[in-house]
Amino acid sequence: FDFKSGTSSSASLHILPTPQLSRSESPFKTMALEPGAIEAMMTETISPEGGHRPVVQLAYLKTVEAPNNNKRHKVALSDGGRWCYGMAATQLNQLLETGEISVGCLIRIDRFQVNDMGPRKIVIILDLKVVGTARPIQGSPVGYPDGGPLPADSSVPPPAAA
């Protein structure tokens, strides 16, 4: 159909097939922990600039008072095999304080940076998305790089109600 003249041509109409999402692109994909993500973040082998958005479990959460009555949130992140300390950026405070993000949930870290804090490195989480509800800590993670256990006051969420 020619819109300028209002006439129809004898050419046949070609309908292109609807693009199909691959399994990895499905919006209903079940998110899983990414083995090796902690070491890759800490050694800066992966980065958000490179398109990496690792999925890890929040294994520990502690609110700490910062100067000027600001709250900061210290976290431990786990990929099921390793864990590391991190801090949530202040723009994530509301998500942490309302319970939208809680110990045991799976998060996709969309933006992060790694900072040297004295003798250790920590991950600063700048942006994230919750991709799985709270569940018991997966695997038996050991600390990066020293192999230590999760903090003694880590809490394991109760099993989900049936």
Side-chain angles (χ1 to χ4, degrees):
F1 186 81
D2 180 4
F3 286 101
K4 285 187 178 180
S5 67
T7 61
S8 145
S9 71
S10 61
S12 63
L13 179 63
H14 295 286
I15 299 175
L16 297 174
T18 303
Q20 298 295 314
L21 292 176
S22 73
R23 183 176 168 105
S24 65
E25 297 172 320
S26 170
F28 304 106
K29 181 177 122 181
T30 300
M31 291 293 196
L33 295 179
E34 292 184 29
I38 297 299
E39 186 166 352
M41 284 190 300
M42 298 303 275
T43 59
E44 300 180 58
T45 306
I46 63 170
S47 70
E49 292 78 20
H52 298 100
R53 300 185 310 169
V55 175
V56 296
Q57 187 172 31
L58 184 66
Y60 167 84
L61 173 64
K62 182 176 183 176
T63 303
V64 293
E65 293 297 324
N68 300 328
N69 267 347
N70 291 328
K71 290 182 182 176
R72 297 298 308 263
H73 299 279
K74 183 177 182 179
V75 299
L77 306 170
S78 169
D79 63 14
R82 304 298 293 261
W83 71 270
C84 68
Y85 280 113
M87 292 294 284
T90 55
Q91 63 262 31
L92 300 174
N93 281 0
Q94 184 175 357
L95 296 173
L96 291 156
E97 291 166 6
T98 61
E100 187 172 333
I101 301 170
S102 60
V103 172
C105 72
L106 300 185
I107 57 173
R108 183 186 70 210
I109 303 177
D110 293 331
R111 289 184 24 230
F112 67 92
Q113 65 187 40
V114 177
N115 286 0
D116 286 312
M117 301 295 288
R120 75 173 103 178
K121 290 183 174 185
I122 66 167
V123 175
I124 307 297
I125 304 168
L126 302 171
D127 192 18
L128 62 79
K129 178 177 173 84
V130 176
V131 295
T133 57
R135 60 198 71 196
I137 302 303
Q138 296 179 10
S140 299
V142 295
Y144 178 86
D146 62 4
L150 280 166
D153 56 348
S154 293
S155 61
V156 178

